[in-house]
Amino acid sequence: MPVIEVENLEKSFRIPHEKKTTLFEALTGIFKPESYEVFHALHNINFDVEEGEFFGIIGENGSGKSTLLKIIAGILYPSSGKVHIRGKITPFLELGVGFQSDMTAVENIKTYGTIMGMSKSDIKSRTDDILEFAGLEKFRDTKLKNFSSGMQVRLAFSTAIQTDPEILLMDEVLAVGDMDFQQKCLDVLNSYRKEGVTIVFVSHDLGSVRRFCDRTLLLHKGEQIALGNTAEVIDKYVYGEQEKNISEATHNVVESDPAILAEDQTSLNNSRWGDQKVEILNVEFYDKFGNLSNRFNSFDVMTIRILYNAHKKVLDPIFGIALYSEKGENLFGTNTELRDIMIDHIEGKGHIDLKIESIPMLSGRFLLTVAIHSRTHDPYDWHDKLYHLDVIPTGRDAGLFDVPCKWII
Amino acid sequence: MSIKHIANLYAYRQLIWQLAWSEFKLRYKNSVLGYFWSLLEPLLMLTVLYYVFSHLMRLQIENYQLFLLLGIIIWNFLSRATGIGMNSIVGKPSLIKKIYFPRDIFVISSCLTALLMSVFESIVFALFMIYFKVPLSIYVLQAPVILICLLILSVGLSLALAALNVIYRDVQFIWAVLLQAGYFATPIMYTIEIFPADLRSIALLNPIARVIIAARDTIIYSSPVQTNDLVFMIVAAVVFLFAGYFIFNRIEPRFAEEI
């Protein structure tokens, strides 16, 4: 039996060009036609969430995730369509809603606990636990305004997790804290999950989504793109938006058009050199489905394609790449010479691929240098850190790179 | 405003009370001195008005101090209830935008805050009653009915103002002016007889005027409330409440988007 049913949900906002915020303006402007724009935040959304399910919602900024969550919470009203809820909803859209800076910690626990739906007796019996968990026992009668922001968040979080939710709505605001705090959040989520609480989880952190969510909904510009198995939906998110990725990928391309070259010359001077006997036209990244992308799941297959144009016949060229962290540390480099690949000659347009069987980088942005040079190391065309790709974590290990290993007890 | 809604509000009674109580404490800065200062305000008002009207204007009214103080307390209640209530939605953006409750809870709890403040002020009134040895009669039992009408009326008024204030932010200034005018159009400092006969019937259209007169009659002057006044007040309370809910419910869906 689904506890959340969303049917044909539409939400649009009317954004007036000139907003009338006073009665005076409304009266004086009564004969002026109101001009406004309609922004379609959500369009034709349909899904169910089953009892005890951990349901993820992903999508880039502005895709309508938070709007959807607010409609489920009852904060916003849908323009049309139905949302059916069975059970008590506890929204964690923001921590410390209703905190009063002029009140003491204990008083705020009382107010916030009540807001979060705790009973009076529960609040009374749990106040000490809350303060202890937040590490604020000494400050129980200190006014909130004298707390650091970290202390306030700890207090809010410790209070919020004392509630016994039936349906929990989580926005990513919880992910703002430090590593330790985030871990605490995730631990709490896990224990709720074990207790059979239904959770709707909105996040940019695909690692957490992959780890927790049974099913996931992908939104793109208010449209429902995919719904179902989390791993498949994340794949769609990472590799799906080809249009966007191509435009982003080609953004880095160095055009051979002389006019543009001249214009970009100054900025490119430091990152491109060579005698141009062979020119690198473009560098493309292909995902495991054979689509252009510059966003990859770690451990997935990827192919780097170097498109070149040899203006005349060039003998024995060497193709190379080097991989850098975002800070510019060289992480890896290889070329056809080091791998004992002999290329007799090249002429005209062509391409060469470098296939990576399993991307070992864990997470983050990586820069790529691509070069073609002669065996005597005279560069034909050298593109220094002109390309980048983003790696999205699939596991939970920390750091830049995966080291194949296992624990033995 | 249905039975279901009332049941729903009852389920939220703890929250309503908690919000009202914490607001009350905040108003008095959580200190004993804060409570003390807050009593000074009506007392000071009383002193000034008493001096002006009984010595300069030579108004002859029996127990004028009590007459005046009760009028001030009732008017203060209305002015605070609508003042706090009107800002209860626009003043709490995070509670409106980040979590959901039936939004009338905020207005109702604001009126309760005002009620708490008025109850607190009434302690001074009670002390005055004892000091001037004013006898109480059986009719004082009618007073709660009158005051409940006042409370319901204030809730209705606050609901409408709170909702309108979300869309038109100058409603609060317009209301402040209306309150100021009302202060003089209502028999607070003087009796209703001071108005000429033709204006008197207009002044009596103001339900607060009747509330103040009825409250004085039952509490200070040991006389019963007039039946027509009582009917008028009850009808006014019900009309204001329904009108308030009507306006509030019309605008409520836009709250989270407009704030």
Side-chain angles (χ1 to χ4, degrees), chain B residues 111-248:
Chain B
C111 291
L112 284 182
T113 304
L115 185 67
L116 285 170
M117 295 167 88
S118 297
V119 166
F120 189 60
E121 283 177 359
S122 303
I123 295 169
V124 182
F125 181 77
L127 292 176
F128 268 56
M129 288 283 280
I130 294 164
Y131 181 79
F132 289 105
K133 299 197 176 62
V134 178
L136 286 177
S137 70
I138 185 80
Y139 299 120
V140 80
L141 294 176
Q142 292 179 332
V145 179
I146 299 162
L147 298 176
I148 286 169
C149 283
L150 175 67
L151 178 64
I152 291 172
L153 196 144
S154 308
V155 170
L157 204 52
S158 303
L159 281 169
L161 288 168
L164 288 172
N165 199 25
V166 171
I167 312 184
Y168 304 118
R169 297 299 164 94
D170 55 350
V171 165
Q172 47 187 310
F173 306 115
I174 296 169
W175 181 245
V177 173
L178 288 178
L179 267 185
Q180 195 70 47
Y183 191 71
F184 292 97
T186 310
I188 295 167
M189 300 160 280
Y190 28 73
T191 59
I192 191 77
E193 281 75 29
I194 205 165
F195 293 96
D198 49 339
L199 281 181
R200 200 176 302 164
S201 51
I202 296 174
L204 280 174
L205 285 178
N206 170 7
I208 306 300
R210 300 205 192 220
V211 166
I212 289 179
I213 294 168
R216 280 170 181 157
D217 282 348
T218 53
I219 299 170
I220 308 171
Y221 300 119
S222 302
S223 51
V225 57
Q226 310 275 327
T227 315
N228 61 335
D229 279 350
L230 191 63
V231 172
F232 188 92
M233 282 185 286
I234 291 172
V235 171
V238 172
V239 168
F240 270 75
L241 187 68
F242 276 87
Y245 263 108
F246 178 75
I247 295 173
F248 192 82

Side-chain angles (χ1 to χ4, degrees), chain A residues 199-270:
Chain A
I199 302 176
V200 179
F201 184 57
V202 166
S203 184
H204 277 300
D205 176 10
L206 296 179
S208 306
V209 173
R210 189 185 291 272
R211 200 173 130 203
F212 288 119
C213 296
D214 304 316
R215 283 192 311 142
T216 298
L217 171 70
L218 170 61
L219 294 178
H220 175 64
K221 290 186 178 149
E223 304 270 351
Q224 178 170 339
I225 301 288
L227 170 66
N229 176 287
T230 298
E232 286 167 20
V233 173
I234 290 181
D235 269 357
K236 249 192 191 135
Y237 178 52
V238 173
Y239 298 126
E241 304 139 57
Q242 294 169 35
E243 237 178 298
K244 182 187 156 214
N245 285 327
I246 289 169
S247 67
E248 216 173 287
T250 48
H251 177 73
N252 292 321
V253 171
V254 184
E255 298 281 341
S256 50
D257 183 352
I260 294 174
L261 243 178
E263 199 179 280
D264 285 348
Q265 205 64 51
T266 39
S267 64
L268 285 176
N269 264 344
N270 297 328

Side-chain angles (χ1 to χ4, degrees), chain A residues 11 13 19 21-24 26 70 73-77 91 93-94 97-98 100 102-103 107 111 114-115 118-120, chain B residues 14-15 18-19 22-23 25-26 29-30 94-101 103 167-170 174 252-253 256-258:
Chain A
K11 177 71 188 172
F13 292 101
K19 194 157 164 42
T21 53
T22 64
L23 199 56
F24 181 73
K70 281 183 175 179
I75 296 166
L76 292 173
Y77 286 69
L93 304 188
E94 191 178 278
V97 170
Q100 295 280 4
D102 264 322
M103 297 229 185
E107 285 170 325
T111 310
T114 316
I115 287 171
M118 287 163 75
S119 72
K120 213 172 177 174
Chain B
Q14 198 195 335
L15 179 65
Q18 184 63 40
L19 288 173
S22 64
E23 179 84 24
K25 286 209 285 190
L26 270 180
K29 300 279 176 292
N30 238 339
S94 70
L95 282 174
I96 301 293
K97 291 169 88 162
K98 299 289 179 189
I99 201 156
Y100 178 77
F101 308 113
R103 268 80 180 239
I167 312 184
Y168 304 118
R169 297 299 164 94
D170 55 350
I174 296 169
E252 194 260 352
E257 293 169 37
E258 295 278 347

Side-chain angles (χ1 to χ4, degrees), chain A residues 281-297:
Chain A
L281 297 176
N282 199 359
V283 174
E284 294 170 342
F285 304 134
Y286 288 90
D287 64 28
K288 60 181 172 187
F289 303 112
N291 295 322
L292 273 176
S293 179
N294 67 344
R295 216 159 37 164
F296 295 88
N297 282 324

